[in-house]
């Protein structure tokens, strides 16, 4: 449709324009959300341990339609490798929080669950100074 131009040069929408809320919905594929989640996990783990495989994510997206508005929820499962020794629980929690925040910010989806599977621990040699040894 071409816009209607008034006598003062105003451009107005034709009266048959569809309101934004009635146009439809945008759907984001599960694999796209999984790539966003994997990238967010890499951000949270930066730097990765040497020889570690980058994090991998799988996602299941649930579309729930309610009377007021449609809700979209994404359940994320992450597979990652961590450096050892480290506080594994704290690292997993940091990854969980960062992934949920980034997926929500970039897709608008609610993220009620982020499951973290630690596939492998990489032994990182401690330096003598870190162990408290002196000569």
């Amino acid at each position: 449709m071409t816009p209607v131009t008034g006598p003062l040069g105003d451009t107005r929408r034709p009266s048959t324009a569809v309101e934004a809320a009635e146009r439809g919905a945008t759907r984001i594929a599960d694999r796209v959300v999984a790539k966003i989640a994997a990238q967010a996990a890499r951000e949270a783990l930066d730097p990765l341990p040497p020889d570690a495989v980058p994090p991998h994510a799988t996602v299941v997206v649930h579309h729930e339609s309610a009377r007021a508005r449609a809700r979209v929820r994404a359940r994320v499962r992450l597979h990652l490798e961590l450096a050892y020794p480290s506080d594994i629980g704290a690292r997993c929690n940091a990854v969980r929080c960062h992934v949920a925040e980034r997926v929500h910010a970039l897709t608008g989806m609610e993220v009620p669950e982020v499951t973290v599977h630690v596939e492998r621990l990489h032994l990182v040699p401690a330096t003598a100074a870190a162990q408290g040894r002196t000569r």
Side-chain angles (χ1 to χ4, degrees):
M1 295 181 167
T2 58
V4 178
T5 306
L8 299 176
D10 292 336
T11 304
R12 301 172 194 250
R13 286 187 171 174
S15 61
T16 59
V18 179
E19 293 297 320
E22 298 175 7
R23 289 185 197 145
T26 301
R27 288 194 163 217
I28 302 172
D30 293 11
R31 63 186 172 89
V32 174
V33 180
K35 287 183 180 185
I36 291 170
Q39 176 60 37
R42 276 191 292 277
E43 292 169 3
L45 291 173
D46 191 42
L48 290 173
D51 300 329
V53 174
H56 172 74
T58 55
V59 174
V60 177
V61 177
H62 299 280
H63 299 275
E64 301 172 4
S65 58
R67 289 184 183 182
R69 64 183 180 109
R71 291 182 1 186
V72 182
R73 293 182 175 188
R75 299 196 184 278
V76 180
R77 177 172 287 172
L78 289 169
H79 300 271
L80 48 89
E81 299 180 3
L82 296 175
Y84 184 81
S86 67
D87 186 350
I88 296 170
R91 295 288 305 247
C92 290
N93 191 42
V95 169
R96 209 177 282 117
C97 292
H98 187 72
V99 168
E101 177 184 302
R102 294 295 291 157
V103 170
H104 178 69
L106 294 173
T107 65
M109 296 178 183
E110 294 177 23
V111 186
E113 179 182 325
V114 178
T115 305
V116 177
H117 294 272
V118 178
E119 298 290 328
R120 184 174 169 196
L121 296 174
H122 292 269
L123 184 61
V124 177
T127 62
Q131 293 176 353
R133 294 182 186 170
T134 57
R135 288 188 179 202

